[in-house]
Amino acid sequence: MTSTSFHLSERALQEAAESSRLLPVEQADHLHSCGLCQGRVATYQQLFTVTAQLPPPAFAFDLTAAVLAQLPTTKPAFPWVVGWVTALVLGVVVAFLVLFGGLLAQAFQGLFTVLGAGLGVVAGVLVAAQCLELVAQHRRQMRLLDFS
Ligand SMILES: [Zn+2]
């Protein structure tokens, strides 16, 4: 294969400009014998040197403000509907215990701990529901993000 039958591809020229050791032996041999490819490699090396000395790009707009404008407005993280339901349930339970607690204590002395355990289960279910609502809300907000 003569040195003029083919020249290095643009990619190979750029790799050679980075380091000639990156080239396969056949292309490296061509580069040593071809003035045209050597000139192109030198041009790429100058281009890389100049590019490396350029200052970092400065945007004409405020990138931070543009990103923040895309973010959804933050709502209170606490799902208030669940909170109201919790307060209502607790109020009913407390009123029930105040009104009928004495009777219950007499009638279900042994079962009072069961009632307490039931309240604990209800509270656990409500907390779990709040956690699931928070996760669902977070996913909805993440889906709203659009940086196009
Ligand atoms: Zn060449």
Side-chain angles (χ1 to χ4, degrees), residues 3-4 6-8 29-39:
S3 63
T4 57
F6 74 98
H7 292 287
L8 299 183
D29 288 344
H30 171 82
L31 182 60
H32 283 295
S33 61
C34 178
L36 180 63
C37 287
Q38 288 173 3

Side-chain angles (χ1 to χ4, degrees), residues 9 26 28-29 37 44 56 69 81 87 119 128 130 148:
S9 66
E26 184 180 330
D29 288 344
C37 287
Y44 271 120
V81 173
L119 283 176
Q130 288 178 346
S148 62

Side-chain angles (χ1 to χ4, degrees), residues 78-141:
F78 188 82
W80 293 107
V81 173
V82 178
W84 290 336
V85 170
T86 304
L88 185 66
V89 168
L90 285 179
V92 168
V93 168
V94 167
F96 183 79
L97 288 178
V98 166
L99 291 176
F100 304 107
L103 292 174
L104 281 176
Q106 292 172 359
F108 303 105
Q109 284 182 353
L111 293 178
F112 229 124
T113 54
V114 175
L115 185 62
L119 283 176
V121 169
V122 168
V125 167
L126 288 174
V127 168
Q130 288 178 346
C131 290
L132 288 176
E133 175 62 22
L134 278 177
V135 169
Q137 189 177 21
H138 175 73
R139 286 185 177 160
R140 280 195 300 272
Q141 289 178 344

